[in-house]
Amino acid sequence: MSDKLNEQELVTVLSVKTKVDPKLIRLVLKHEQTFINNAKANAKGEVDIDNDDLVDYVVAQRDVKLDEITVETILDAEMDYLMDKGLAGYID
């Protein structure tokens, strides 16, 4: 499967789960990716993302007109999706 197809599937799943417009979900995911790309890895090469910091960052973007709860719901649904696919997990 191509990345585009996976992204389309992800956006569709998140839209159904959260009842949020796919365009808005794509915007949240774009800002999330920027935040992650700018995060610093630890000595093991792992990047620890604080969910509250991520939500604050996304909500602070000028083009995002969603409230904190909605952004958090989208990101939580994305994490559930990625964990179901075996692509992500939480660090204890």
Side-chain angles (χ1 to χ4, degrees), residues 35-91:
F35 182 88
I36 291 169
N37 289 346
N38 291 332
K40 301 288 180 238
N42 64 17
K44 295 181 195 167
E46 298 167 335
V47 177
D48 186 20
I49 301 296
D50 182 281
N51 207 40
D52 292 335
D53 292 345
L54 175 56
V55 170
D56 290 345
Y57 173 82
V58 172
V59 171
Q61 302 311 303
R62 267 193 233 126
D63 55 350
V64 175
K65 305 289 187 242
L66 299 168
D67 59 43
E68 261 183 62
I69 303 294
T70 305
V71 170
E72 195 166 346
T73 301
I74 292 168
L75 295 173
D76 287 347
E78 178 198 22
M79 190 62 167
D80 291 345
Y81 173 88
L82 294 174
M83 285 176 33
D84 288 348
K85 295 285 186 186
L87 300 172
Y90 289 103
I91 299 173

